[in-house]
């Protein structure tokens, strides 16, 4: 919040579409991979579908330099976790609603 990090509408829609493509691969029983990095390099997020388990593996990396206003720099901090198909679908649905409320 102190950094005033924001995404453009284009970035949010791109992220939404990438997640949807990853989820849609479950129907085809294919693996999919999508990687997103904000234009200001605030964070990077990676999605990988695992169709046999209907799970999406997610890695989130946060640029420490941006978060500390340059006091610490040169590395990212991240987490890796999984999310099932239903939760990802709910997330995308909520994301769409928020984008619509912003863009009208």
């Amino acid at each position: 919040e102190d950094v005033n990090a924001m995404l453009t509408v284009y970035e949010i829609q791109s992220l939404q579409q990438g997640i949807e493509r990853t989820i849609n691969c479950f129907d085809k029983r294919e693996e999919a991979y999508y990687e997103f990095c904000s234009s200001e390099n605030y964070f990077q997020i990676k999605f990988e579908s695992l169709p046999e388990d209907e799970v999406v593996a997610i890695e989130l990396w946060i640029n420490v330099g941006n978060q500390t206003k340059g006091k610490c720099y040169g590395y990212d901090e991240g987490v890796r976790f999984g999310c099932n198909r239903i939760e990802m679908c709910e997330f995308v649905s909520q994301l769409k609603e928020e984008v619509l409320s912003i863009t009208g």
Side-chain angles (χ1 to χ4, degrees):
E1 196 172 279
D2 293 339
V3 180
N4 292 324
M6 291 187 227
L7 295 175
T8 66
V9 172
Y10 173 79
E11 288 176 311
I12 295 169
Q13 290 172 334
S14 177
L15 178 61
Q16 169 196 319
Q17 292 166 359
I19 296 170
E20 286 177 326
R21 282 192 304 272
T22 304
I23 294 169
N24 291 338
C25 285
F26 286 125
D27 295 332
K28 302 173 195 168
R29 304 302 289 172
E30 296 175 354
E31 290 186 13
Y33 183 81
Y34 175 70
E35 185 173 332
F36 175 85
C37 185
S38 67
S39 61
E40 297 293 328
N41 197 32
Y42 293 119
F43 70 94
Q44 177 183 30
I45 191 163
K46 302 174 185 179
F47 300 90
E48 181 179 2
S49 67
L50 306 171
E52 63 276 0
D53 298 323
E54 292 205 349
V55 169
V56 177
I58 303 167
E59 284 186 38
L60 174 63
W61 294 94
I62 299 173
N63 182 315
V64 173
N66 281 330
Q67 296 301 312
T68 63
K69 296 184 181 179
K71 292 178 184 171
C72 295
Y73 58 90
Y75 67 97
D76 297 338
E77 291 182 340
V79 293
R80 183 179 302 140
F81 58 97
C83 185
N84 70 40
R85 179 183 188 170
I86 294 167
E87 292 169 332
M88 286 303 297
C89 290
E90 290 173 4
F91 172 75
V92 170
S93 177
Q94 291 173 0
L95 185 60
K96 282 181 179 180
E97 286 179 28
E98 285 192 41
V99 169
L100 284 174
S101 71
I102 293 168
T103 60

